[in-house]
Amino acid sequence: MELPDWHSAWRAALYGPTGFFARGARPADHFRTSPLVGPELAEAVVELLDRVDRALDRPNPLDFVDVGAGGGELAAQVHALSGRFGGRLRVRAVELARPALPAGVEWSSELPDQVTGLVIAHEWLDSLPCRVVQVHGSRVVEVHVSADGTESLGDPVSSEWLDAWWPLSAEGQRAEIGSGRDAAWADLVARVAAGAALAVDYGHFAGARPFAGSLTGYRSGRQVAPVPDGSCDITAHVAFDAVAAAAGPCELLTQREALAALGTSVEPPAAGLAARDPLGWLAASARAGRVAELRDPAGLGGFHWLLCPRSAPIGLVRA
C-alpha cells in the first residue's frame, strides 16, 4: 500500500480529528514563542495597532485578530493593553480548539470574513502543510511518509512554484512547496477591508534555501524528528520572498528591526537605581533581558515581520 504524501500526512497529524492542534495541544507546552517571553511583544503590536487606528481615523470597532492563536497569550496581552483605544478594540483569537481566554476576548475556529484593523498570523504560516519533494536520480520526486516517520520516494513532480522560488538540482536536495502558504496568506490579506495584515515567522529566501529543507518537529520543549502521528508539532520555515509576492505591496523586516522601529529597545537600568530602588532595578533589568531575547538575531530576533497594508498608508519604518 502506498504511503501518503507529506502534505496529507502533515495535515492529518496537526488538524485531523486526533491531530496535534485539533486535540487542543498548547504550543507553549512544546516550544518557546515571543508572547511567552513577556508583555513586550504585545506592547509593540499595540503600537502598530495604534498606527493602524490613526490611519483609519479611529474606526468603531477597531479589530485585532490573532490567527493561529495557540494558547491565546498574545490576544490576552493585547486585550490587557486595550485601554488606550477607549473601548473600541474588538480582540478575536482564531484557533481550532478554544484556548483559555479572558473575558472580552472573542474566539472562533474560522477566519473572519472581514477585518477593519490589524490581523496577525504569528507562527501560523509555518504550520500550514506543504508537499515535500526531493531530487533523486536527476528527477524531483514526491516524498511519502508513514505514521512512524518512515519515508519513501514517489512519482516525479512538476511544479511552477518550485521553478520560480526553489529550483532543485543536486542529488538529495529537498524542498517544501510553499504555494499553499502563498495562497493562504493572499486570502488572509484580502479579508482586511482596511488596515493591515502582519505575518511573523521564521523563514528563508532565494539563494539561501536550506539544502535539506527545514521540516522538523517539536515536542515538550525539544526539537524532534517530524513524525506525523499527532504526537508533535510539525513545522517548516517559510519562503518569505514567495509569500511577500503573493499579496501585493508589503514591508519586510526582521523582528529585531521591527521592534526597534516600534520603539521597543534594550535600555539597561539607570546608574545608581539598584541603591535607590532595588525592586525598580530588578524590574528594569528583567525587562531589558526580555527585550534582548526578543531582539536576539540568533533567536527570536531572527523572525521575519511581513506587513501588508490595505487601504491606508501603514508602515513599520517611518521616514
Side-chain angles (χ1 to χ4, degrees), residues 168-275:
L168 303 177
S169 59
E171 182 69 23
Q173 191 176 7
R174 289 169 63 118
E176 299 93 28
I177 298 178
S179 53
R181 293 174 170 182
D182 298 352
W185 175 244
D187 173 68
L188 185 61
V189 173
R191 293 170 187 265
V192 180
L198 174 66
V200 181
D201 234 311
Y202 282 123
H204 46 66
F205 300 85
R209 309 283 191 211
F211 182 89
S214 59
L215 185 68
T216 191
Y218 289 92
R219 182 192 301 118
S220 302
R222 295 185 178 183
Q223 189 171 8
V224 297
V227 178
D229 60 359
S231 68
C232 65
D233 181 28
I234 298 174
T235 178
H237 290 187
V238 177
F240 258 103
D241 42 358
V243 171
C250 60
E251 189 177 5
L252 183 60
L253 303 175
T254 66
Q255 177 159 294
R256 180 181 179 85
E257 294 166 336
L259 292 180
L262 293 168
T264 304
S265 58
V266 180
E267 296 183 6
L273 182 62

Side-chain angles (χ1 to χ4, degrees), residues 37-131:
V37 173
E40 286 74 22
L41 178 75
E43 291 170 2
V45 169
V46 168
E47 170 59 30
L48 177 58
L49 186 58
D50 185 63
R51 296 184 186 183
V52 171
D53 189 37
R54 284 184 276 120
L56 299 183
D57 197 23
R58 309 198 184 281
N60 188 12
L62 171 69
D63 293 321
F64 174 76
V65 182
D66 183 8
V67 173
E73 295 88 358
L74 180 59
Q77 291 166 353
V78 169
H79 181 263
L81 298 169
S82 63
R84 67 195 291 177
F85 301 105
R88 294 180 295 110
L89 187 63
R90 179 171 59 188
V91 179
R92 284 180 279 178
V94 177
E95 186 56 77
L96 283 182
R98 181 169 190 156
L101 296 168
V105 178
E106 302 174 11
W107 167 79
S108 175
S109 61
E110 303 290 339
L111 293 174
D113 292 330
Q114 183 172 294
V115 175
T116 299
L118 177 65
V119 58
I120 183 170
H122 188 279
E123 293 195 74
W124 176 62
L125 288 172
D126 71 321
S127 292
L128 297 184
C130 302
R131 295 170 67 190

Side-chain angles (χ1 to χ4, degrees), residues 265-292:
S265 58
V266 180
E267 296 183 6
L273 182 62
R276 300 192 309 272
D277 181 3
L279 292 180
W281 180 86
L282 285 173
S285 297
R287 177 181 174 83
R290 293 193 299 268
V291 173

